């Protein structure tokens, strides 16, 4: 029997129309483009129902509220479909993929985010292949994970990151192998794929104050003192190399002490594309150790931020949030 996929269009370049102000989302436009693509009627492609969000968003405006909406729609329609494809702008696609991976526990069907760098309305575009292959994988392959498909590779969603603003290979999964490669054939990397869950469980996020702070030489930490209030529930440091940070004449310790006093969870990731942040590997991470910060290991910043939303929304005590931040929950980190 022909498989059935639920296709959710949230916005982004893939479905944009040419307007006199440049590319912009347009209500109903994707439905008319898809209806003109005869290849989508082929038996090889699963049947699909299209849900078009209103308003359609540039993904820079997608955050907690939209993540919840997508997750709820998936849960509501979960039994009706073999898989889900989410059309999404590329800019924050890796955040949404990570967020959904934490919200949707015990997933047993593929949820694949995809989009494109050139809209489907152009003759030369990358959206066509991304869409067709994502539909085929979502309908016919056993990948019970939240994934991101782009440029012929299927990545674990919470391992992916956007690496190019204008190349067609726009994403990478720097610390984890692709789950599948779409060459002449679609080849699954079986050993890298998680086992199917039993009963889908949705954990919705609440909105929390979280900050990301990228370290650079000469950073004056005193600038950030005012953001370190008790409302700030978590802070992700993008530290140098393996998790190192300059002390800058004691100013670092002042802000770390303040964060600790306020109960803000401090997570340390690396600003390198590949590899891990491990507090204690170098003396230059001692301040983090003293402040009770936790290592983010090889998590992407996208995964670290969305995991903070997830754990903070569970209302766990700070110690439990810290412990779980350093524990692999959805394949987002290798320790
Ligand atoms: N600005 C667009 C977005 O993220 C870019 C894209 O879709 O590729 O929505």
């Amino acid at each position: 029997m022909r498989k059935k996929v639920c296709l959710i269009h949230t916005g982004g370049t893939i479905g944009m129309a040419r307007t006199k102000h440049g590319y912009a989302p347009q209500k109903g436009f994707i439905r008319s483009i898809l209806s003109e693509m005869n290849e989508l009627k082929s038996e090889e492609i699963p049947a699909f129902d299209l849900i078009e969000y209103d308003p359609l968003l540039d993904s820079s405006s997608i955050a907690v509220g939209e993540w919840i909406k997508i997750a709820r729609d998936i849960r509501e329609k979960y039994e009706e479909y073999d898989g889900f494809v989410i059309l999404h702008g590329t800019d924050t696609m890796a955040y949404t993929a990570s967020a959904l991976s934490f919200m949707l526990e015990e997933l047993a069907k593929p949820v694949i985010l995809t989009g494109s760098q050139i809209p489907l309305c152009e003759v030369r575009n990358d959206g066509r292949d991304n869409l067709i292959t994502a539909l085929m994988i979502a309908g016919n392959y056993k990948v019970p994970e939240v994934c991101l498909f782009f440029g012929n590779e299927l990545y674990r969603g919470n391992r992916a990151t956007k690496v190019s603003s204008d190349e067609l290979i726009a994403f990478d999964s720097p610390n984890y192998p692709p789950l599948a490669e779409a060459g002449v054939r679609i080849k699954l990397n079986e050993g890298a794929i998680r086992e199917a869950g039993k009963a889908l469980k949705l954990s919705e996020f609440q909105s929390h104050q979280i900050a990301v702070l990228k370290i650079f030489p000469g950073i004056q930490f005193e600038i950030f003192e005012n953001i370190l209030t008790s409302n700030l529930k978590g802070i992700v440091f993008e530290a140098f190399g393996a998790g190192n940070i300059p002390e800058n004449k004691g100013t670092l310790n002042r802000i770390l002490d303040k964060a600790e006093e306020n109960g803000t969870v401090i997570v340390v990731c690396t600003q390198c594309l590949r590899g891990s942040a491990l507090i204690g590997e170098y003396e230059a991470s001692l301040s983090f150790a003293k402040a009770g910060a936790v290592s983010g290991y090889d998590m992407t910043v996208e995964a670290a931020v969305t995991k903070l939303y997830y754990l903070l929304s569970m209302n766990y005590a700070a110690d439990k949030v810290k412990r779980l931040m350093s524990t692999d929950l959805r394949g987002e980190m290798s320790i």
Side-chain angles (χ1 to χ4, degrees):
M1 208 173 72
R2 198 163 166 201
K3 297 291 171 70
K4 213 170 161 203
V5 169
C6 179
L7 178 65
I8 298 176
H9 179 41
T10 67
T13 297
I14 189 163
M16 288 190 187
R18 249 200 253 168
T19 73
K20 60 176 189 289
H21 305 293
Y23 293 127
Q26 214 171 73
K27 206 172 167 185
F29 187 66
I30 195 135
R31 194 174 292 279
S32 73
I33 294 240
L34 298 185
S35 69
E36 284 162 18
M37 289 172 66
N38 282 331
E39 58 273 46
L40 293 179
K41 296 176 187 118
S42 153
E43 286 291 313
E44 283 177 58
I45 302 205
F48 62 88
D49 292 322
L50 173 69
I51 299 176
E52 187 184 82
Y53 280 2
D54 186 14
L56 291 167
L57 294 173
D58 185 287
S59 72
S60 42
S61 299
I62 289 187
V64 175
E66 290 73 26
W67 297 338
I68 292 174
K69 178 170 167 48
I70 301 169
R72 282 185 186 164
D73 280 345
I74 293 171
R75 188 193 48 189
E76 202 179 291
K77 298 173 192 322
Y78 193 66
E79 299 306 330
E80 282 174 58
Y81 294 96
D82 297 289
F84 294 80
V85 172
I86 322 286
L87 299 179
H88 193 288
T90 57
D91 290 346
T92 66
M93 195 188 288
Y95 282 95
T96 300
S98 296
L100 292 176
S101 79
F102 292 112
M103 277 192 189
L104 301 169
E105 203 179 333
E106 295 277 326
L107 199 58
K109 298 179 179 187
V111 172
I112 305 180
L113 287 101
T114 194
S116 68
Q117 296 279 56
I118 310 173
L120 281 168
C121 65
E122 297 295 345
V123 174
R124 186 181 152 268
N125 73 72
D126 55 328
R128 182 185 172 279
D129 280 358
N130 286 345
L131 170 65
I132 287 178
T133 312
L135 284 171
M136 286 175 137
I137 297 177
N140 300 309
Y141 289 75
K142 279 207 172 66
V143 193
E145 297 208 23
V146 177
C147 313
L148 188 155
F149 183 79
F150 218 91
N152 292 328
E153 300 214 310
L154 184 76
Y155 304 116
R156 173 169 298 156
N158 56 32
R159 292 291 196 150
T161 190
K162 187 171 178 183
V163 292
S164 173
S165 64
D166 55 8
E167 289 164 301
L168 302 187
I169 311 286
F171 288 86
D172 196 2
S173 169
N175 289 314
Y176 198 75
L179 304 183
E181 283 175 59
V184 172
R185 283 174 203 83
I186 296 173
K187 256 197 268 162
L188 291 192
N189 183 358
E190 308 267 4
I193 298 171
R194 286 166 71 75
E195 276 182 21
K198 293 194 172 64
L200 179 70
K201 194 178 141 214
L202 169 60
S203 307
E204 294 188 2
F205 292 0
Q206 294 140 14
S207 196
H208 288 281
Q209 280 193 10
I210 292 172
V212 177
L213 182 51
K214 183 167 184 162
I215 306 306
F216 57 90
I219 185 168
Q220 298 184 5
F221 291 109
E222 53 274 32
I223 297 172
F224 305 101
E225 261 183 73
N226 289 342
I227 65 161
L228 289 155
T229 67
S230 56
N231 288 331
L232 187 70
K233 300 295 178 220
I235 182 161
V236 178
F237 279 86
E238 278 191 52
F240 298 134
N244 303 318
I245 190 160
E247 283 189 12
N248 282 2
K249 306 185 190 89
T251 56
L252 168 66
N253 288 335
R254 274 221 307 278
I255 70 154
L256 289 181
D257 288 349
K258 214 167 157 192
E260 205 192 0
E261 268 166 39
N262 289 335
T264 304
V265 176
I266 308 167
V267 185
V268 182
C269 289
T270 175
Q271 55 186 251
C272 297
L273 180 61
R274 264 176 255 287
S276 278
L278 180 60
I279 298 169
E281 189 157 324
Y282 286 87
E283 197 183 12
S285 63
L286 198 61
S287 308
F288 280 137
K290 284 188 186 146
V294 293
S295 300
Y297 299 95
D298 63 351
M299 258 191 303
T300 58
V301 170
E302 293 90 327
V305 166
T306 52
K307 189 171 175 180
L308 268 174
Y309 274 120
Y310 169 62
L311 294 175
L312 292 168
S313 302
M314 303 297 270
N315 296 319
Y316 294 141
D319 273 356
K320 187 163 180 187
V321 174
K322 284 186 186 179
R323 184 168 51 76
L324 293 177
M325 274 312 289
S326 273
T327 306
D328 178 36
L329 300 179
R330 303 279 195 281
E332 75 282 5
M333 58 164 51
S334 346
I335 299 176

